[in-house]
Amino acid sequence: RRAAREQLRRGATQIKLMASGGVISPTDPLDSLQLSVAEIAVAVEVAHSWGTYVMAHCHTTPSIEMALDAGVRSIEHGSILEPETARRIAAEGAFMVPTLQTMESFLAHPDRMGLAPEKIALLDGFARQAYRSVEIARDAGVKLASGSDVVGPWQGRRGEEMVYKSRVLGAHEAIISATRVNAELFMLEDEIGTVETGKRADLVLVKGQPLDDIELMAEPDNVVVVLQDGAVVKDSEGRVA
């Protein structure tokens, strides 16, 4: 309770908890449960009192079930998802945020993290499970939002997440997950997420047609104009001028 309040007082807009272990964590087992339902529920209570919500890092089905028991709004990763749990996520109106890009990045560049061979082997199988979990979630009607789990110098290529997600959802739904669905998750659907009169002008102009070639979103240079709340923050080809 104290930690959640402290984060909100420091300006956090949401609270994130770690409910399961991590894939590349050096010590905590992937299938470990990091918090109890009661502990998670207290953070949910605090977040609700501030008009916001809790998201939970959950790779495994048991951790997802615990998070749902506690009232968590968003399941981050959901990498090992069973159909019954997926149906529960959908029924309770929660969201799931797959993070395929970070796994693909680790597999493509294991040297960046100094991963041991056994971790690389774990990631390879884990990535296949993660794609299957997205498929299970889609079939159950889960609201799939978009995140990459990418930090540091890789952040410029976050658009790759849409490319990987499109392998399951198709280009159109992958784009919607990063726009309209994310806005709903953030409880900002009245302000952002779709192009409508009266909303903030948060827009990008892509050099090409992503619905025909979603790979365009993987390369930052293909995004030639960015408007944030109506202000031009990128205009690499002078198109706005």
Side-chain angles (χ1 to χ4, degrees):
R1 188 187 303 276
R2 183 167 59 247
R5 284 176 174 166
E6 181 179 0
Q7 292 302 313
L8 291 166
R9 286 171 181 150
R10 289 182 174 185
T13 52
Q14 299 96 346
I15 296 294
K16 182 178 180 180
L17 302 177
M18 310 300 282
S20 78
V23 181
I24 62 169
S25 302
T27 55
D28 53 311
L30 177 65
D31 58 357
S32 62
L33 299 175
Q34 306 276 313
L35 296 167
S36 70
V37 173
E39 289 170 321
I40 299 171
V42 168
V44 170
E45 177 192 352
V46 171
H48 281 178
S49 73
W50 282 63
T52 186
Y53 62 91
V54 170
M55 64 187 88
H57 161 108
C58 300
H59 279 301
T60 61
T61 290
S63 64
I64 295 171
E65 290 284 350
M66 287 181 58
L68 293 174
D69 288 344
V72 164
R73 178 175 172 84
S74 180
I75 304 299
E76 309 299 303
H77 315 305
S79 308
I80 306 174
L81 179 63
E82 298 295 333
E84 184 176 349
T85 300
R87 289 190 289 270
R88 184 182 174 195
I89 296 172
E92 297 190 10
F95 295 75
M96 187 172 110
V97 185
T99 51
L100 304 172
Q101 181 187 0
T102 186
M103 287 182 285
E104 294 284 1
S105 297
F106 288 151
L107 288 170
H109 306 285
D111 52 299
R112 289 178 177 175
M113 295 296 293
L115 298 179
E118 60 270 19
K119 284 290 187 182
I120 297 172
L122 172 65
L123 271 169
D124 187 44
F126 195 73
R128 289 194 293 271
Q129 286 182 299
Y131 279 100
R132 174 60 182 148
S133 292
V134 175
E135 186 177 1
I136 289 170
R138 176 204 63 193
D139 293 347
V142 174
K143 292 181 284 191
L144 290 166
S146 190
S148 65
D149 210 28
V150 171
V151 297
W154 305 349
Q155 290 187 74
R157 302 193 65 84
R158 284 180 174 176
E160 290 179 358
E161 180 68 22
M162 282 183 278
V163 177
Y164 296 126
K165 197 176 297 179
S166 72
R167 295 176 181 177
V168 180
L169 304 181
H172 185 247
E173 291 301 319
I175 292 170
I176 285 175
S177 75
T179 52
R180 190 178 71 199
V181 181
N182 267 9
E184 184 183 350
L185 168 59
F186 304 154
M187 300 188 292
L188 292 172
E189 62 269 28
D190 292 337
E191 300 180 41
I192 60 174
T194 56
V195 183
E196 296 181 65
T197 301
K199 290 191 175 182
R200 299 184 199 174
D202 283 358
L203 305 166
V204 297
L205 179 65
V206 180
K207 186 162 52 176
Q209 175 51 277
L211 290 175
D212 297 331
D213 181 12
I214 193 65
E215 295 279 347
L216 290 167
M217 302 306 299
E219 178 51 61
D221 289 344
N222 290 328
V223 179
V224 294
V225 173
V226 177
L227 296 180
Q228 185 177 19
D229 202 10
V232 179
V233 295
K234 180 181 181 181
D235 184 15
S236 60
E237 297 183 349
R239 298 199 183 201
V240 176

